[in-house]
Amino acid sequence: MDISKLSLDEKIGQMLCFAFHGTEVNEQLKVLVKDYKVGNIVHFARNINNNKQVKKLNQDIQSLANHPVFISLDQEGGMVRRVTSDITYLPGAMALASTNRKNIYEVNYHTGLDLKELGFNVNYAPVGDVNNNPLNPVINSRSYSDNPKIVSECVVQAFRGFQDALMLPTIKHFPGHGDTNVDSHLGLPIVNKSRKDLDKVELVPFVDAINNGIDGVMISHILYSQIDNNLPSSLSYEVITKLLKEDLGFKGLITTDSLTMAIWERFTIEEIVMHGVNAGNDVLVFCGKALLEDQIEIIETFKRLVKAKKISMARIDASVSKVLKLKEKYCYNQVVSKHKDNELSIELVNDSITKVKSNNLLPITKDDSVLIIFPKISLASLVDNDNNTYETLGKYLPFQEIIINENFDDYEKLMHIQAKYDKIIMATYNVKADDYQMQIYNKLDKDKVVVIALRSPYDGLILSGVKEYICTYDCTKESLKAVSSKLMTNDFTGKLPIKI
């Protein structure tokens, strides 16, 4: 594509990415892609009913455009997957890191092939954050490890898998979202670390990915106060142009995390667009409520800023040239190969289940008297699908199961019931100090309790006196099936990729 032949509207469209409502081409998509020349569209689970439907949707989106559209999604693996059936199952990052880590490339490659077949060409993954804060509310087991070397080893394999399948990967969330205790969907995290400190931990996986040829980086909404004390990373020239592009030498696609997260409430649309573009981003991503009137206002604001010379054509052309070059690579080509390698996926899930502590309560037999206590699963973060359906251990184990939630208060009954059982399996999901899970756990006889952390392996830090402790890292049906089998065989191979 010849950039000189593009109009201003077309150039602006190449630098904007919007979410949408619906599962087929509708007025919103027609206005965005056909009328306003938007060149990037992001899907969420709400847009995907099944593979046949989403493949046709993506084909129809492309047919609206004069130039190829980057169609993206978050397919990190585990709990963060937009396409959840009939493709290669991709385990979550920490689950993969708990295996021998030899097949991370292959499972990401096959996932990439399947996504490509459905018409996607950009994946907002892998997660390159080093989860060195156990209280991190949003990254946690989405990270491979708290060890930067392990994270680097894994992200390089993961991005190569996607890239070889011709899915453009964007390692995230630069310069690192691991050492935060605020979810950037809900607030503005602040990290007060020197560049020297960042070089030792946070930047290590990003540097290794860049040096190994990754084509995309996603920027976080975190204020790194010793680099830029005024603007969060996604709007910061110091972070994006000086650090990422000049110091680290990254020449690929730079995309923001969604600018409708908490940052949306702190800056005006004009400030977000002006700083976002001038900082050096190539694509500004807007998800959120995905209202067409807001999206049109963003586009019109971008135009006004250009006409007012607050954004230069040279800055725009630099990004658009990069976008078009990468579209030549990822939108016109297709790798033909075997898809849907779930045999490997299931093997990796089984290998990932980790026994951290043992009190000789396993294996469990069908003759044992066992009570299962299972929490009602809710969204851990806004990055999770809001239409997830969750299974429980009771589907896979032949024992009585009690489902608990924040309204549980019948502790006397629980004390009476637990006396009837030889063993208790208590599953936990992102335990917080003094929450209902902790209160229930404190009433149990620790000598006969097996605690299974369904997502965050840090649950074991909050619950005191845990004697038998297992981590699954993901609360998917694949993980539940795997851990149920392991409880009966006591054959655990996973190795904890963090320190607790």
Side-chain angles (χ1 to χ4, degrees):
M1 286 178 279
D2 187 350
I3 190 174
S4 65
K5 295 180 180 179
L6 297 187
S7 66
L8 176 60
D9 285 355
E10 288 175 314
K11 289 180 179 180
I12 288 174
Q14 293 299 318
M15 294 185 68
L16 294 173
C17 178
F18 292 115
F20 65 102
H21 295 282
T23 55
E24 59 186 21
V25 164
N26 53 25
E27 189 64 21
Q28 182 179 24
L29 283 169
K30 289 177 182 176
V31 170
L32 290 175
V33 179
K34 195 169 186 178
D35 297 346
Y36 282 95
K37 315 302 180 186
V38 170
N40 309 273
I41 295 292
V42 57
H43 285 41
F44 285 86
R46 66 173 181 256
N47 307 120
I48 302 169
N49 291 334
N50 55 61
N51 288 5
K52 182 179 180 181
Q53 167 266 325
V54 77
K55 183 173 183 177
K56 183 180 188 304
L57 171 60
N58 289 339
Q59 291 170 339
D60 291 345
I61 290 172
Q62 295 290 3
S63 71
L64 294 173
N66 294 326
H67 306 290
V69 179
F70 268 153
I71 302 178
S72 57
L73 79 172
D74 294 273
Q75 195 81 0
E76 297 174 12
M79 301 297 287
V80 183
R81 292 172 296 134
R82 304 302 180 227
V83 183
T84 57
S85 61
D86 296 322
I87 70 167
T88 300
Y89 173 73
L90 180 60
M94 199 168 284
L96 288 173
S98 70
T99 70
N100 62 21
R101 302 196 283 275
K102 293 180 179 178
N103 293 300
I104 294 176
Y105 167 88
E106 189 173 354
V107 73
N108 280 274
Y109 175 67
H110 283 287
T111 300
L113 291 177
D114 293 345
L115 293 173
K116 189 78 173 181
E117 178 69 23
L118 297 179
F120 295 100
N121 41 43
V122 176
N123 188 15
Y124 295 139
V127 173
D129 304 313
V130 180
N131 200 77
N132 48 347
N133 185 339
L135 299 179
N136 194 315
V138 65
I139 302 302
N140 208 290
S141 60
R142 292 170 62 200
S143 165
Y144 289 98
S145 176
D146 58 5
N147 184 323
K149 292 183 179 179
I150 293 176
V151 177
S152 286
E153 175 191 351
C154 296
V155 296
V156 169
Q157 289 189 66
F159 96 70
R160 281 176 169 168
F162 285 122
Q163 215 155 277
D164 286 352
L166 293 179
M167 281 286 296
L168 195 161
T170 62
I171 186 174
K172 59 187 185 185
H173 308 78
F174 186 86
H177 205 321
D179 194 10
T180 63
N181 57 12
V182 174
D183 182 346
S184 54
H185 293 88
L186 306 174
L188 180 64
I190 299 174
V191 175
N192 183 28
K193 286 189 174 183
S194 68
R195 170 64 192 278
K196 186 177 180 180
D197 290 335
L198 296 179
D199 283 336
K200 293 177 182 177
V201 181
E202 280 81 1
L203 291 178
V204 172
F206 294 97
V207 169
D208 283 351
I210 291 167
N211 291 342
N212 279 277
I214 195 168
D215 278 337
V217 171
M218 176 183 282
I219 310 297
S220 69
H221 307 309
I222 300 173
L223 185 72
Y224 274 84
S225 56
Q226 292 195 39
I227 298 177
D228 187 333
N229 196 35
N230 297 311
L231 293 170
S233 299
S234 53
L235 305 182
S236 171
Y237 183 87
E238 296 293 324
V239 170
I240 298 170
T241 294
K242 288 195 171 181
L243 175 56
L244 179 59
K245 296 167 76 172
E246 294 178 359
D247 289 2
L248 302 186
F250 182 62
K251 302 185 186 309
L253 186 79
I254 301 172
T255 181
T256 68
D257 206 344
S258 174
L259 291 160
T260 55
M261 291 160 61
I263 192 173
W264 182 257
E265 304 298 329
R266 294 172 177 264
F267 297 89
T268 65
I269 292 176
E270 181 172 306
E271 289 170 333
I272 287 173
V273 174
M274 181 179 69
H275 289 306
V277 173
N278 290 334
N281 290 298
D282 301 309
V283 177
L284 308 184
V285 180
F286 297 88
C287 302
K289 294 180 181 178
L291 300 177
L292 182 58
E293 56 265 36
D294 291 341
Q295 295 167 337
I296 291 173
E297 184 179 356
I298 290 164
I299 297 168
E300 295 296 343
T301 299
F302 199 145
K303 286 186 197 177
R304 287 197 303 273
L305 288 167
V306 176
K307 291 176 181 177
K309 300 188 183 304
K310 293 183 178 180
I311 296 175
S312 72
M313 286 308 303
R315 172 78 275 281
I316 291 173
D317 286 347
S319 284
V320 173
S321 295
K322 197 189 299 183
V323 171
L324 296 181
K325 182 180 179 181
L326 287 166
K327 285 187 174 181
E328 293 278 353
K329 176 178 179 179
Y330 289 99
C331 295
Y332 289 108
N333 301 305
Q334 189 92 6
V335 178
V336 179
S337 184
K338 172 180 172 288
H339 304 336
K340 195 178 178 183
D341 189 11
N342 271 337
E343 186 176 330
L344 173 61
S345 299
I346 298 307
E347 179 184 329
L348 289 171
V349 175
N350 283 321
D351 288 348
S352 73
I353 307 299
T354 306
K355 184 197 283 187
V356 181
K357 294 182 179 179
S358 175
N359 193 32
N360 298 316
L361 292 174
L362 302 178
I364 289 173
T365 70
K366 292 182 180 180
D367 295 328
D368 283 334
S369 177
V370 179
L371 173 66
I372 301 170
I373 301 175
F374 198 94
K376 182 180 178 181
I377 307 300
S378 57
L379 292 181
S381 165
L382 292 179
V383 75
D384 290 4
N385 296 340
D386 58 10
N387 60 352
N388 273 344
T389 56
Y390 299 99
E391 295 181 352
T392 70
L393 283 171
K395 180 174 180 178
Y396 301 102
L397 292 169
F399 306 118
Q400 182 179 348
E401 182 177 55
I402 297 175
I403 306 299
I404 57 172
N405 59 33
E406 62 276 5
N407 297 319
F408 184 90
D409 60 3
D410 200 346
Y411 296 106
E412 186 174 333
K413 182 179 179 181
L414 179 63
M415 294 290 290
H416 176 71
I417 289 176
Q418 73 163 325
K420 298 180 181 179
Y421 295 92
D422 303 321
K423 299 174 183 178
I424 298 172
I425 299 169
M426 180 168 180
T428 63
Y429 191 82
N430 292 358
V431 176
K432 296 179 176 61
D434 295 323
D435 73 358
Y436 73 95
Q437 298 176 90
M438 185 174 184
Q439 292 176 38
I440 290 171
Y441 167 79
N442 286 338
K443 300 291 185 182
L444 300 177
D445 179 354
K446 311 300 183 297
D447 286 328
K448 60 182 181 181
V449 176
V450 179
V451 174
I452 302 177
L454 297 173
R455 188 165 186 176
S456 171
Y458 299 105
D459 286 359
L461 289 177
I462 299 172
L463 302 176
S464 62
V466 175
K467 297 185 178 182
E468 188 105 25
Y469 187 49
I470 296 167
C471 296
T472 68
Y473 313 103
D474 298 318
C475 186
T476 61
K477 62 181 180 181
E478 290 81 3
S479 296
L480 291 177
K481 188 174 181 179
V483 74
S484 296
S485 175
K486 296 289 185 179
L487 290 171
M488 308 297 281
T489 63
N490 197 28
D491 178 24
F492 294 87
T493 54
K495 305 293 184 184
L496 198 66
I498 58 167
K499 293 179 182 178
I500 59 173

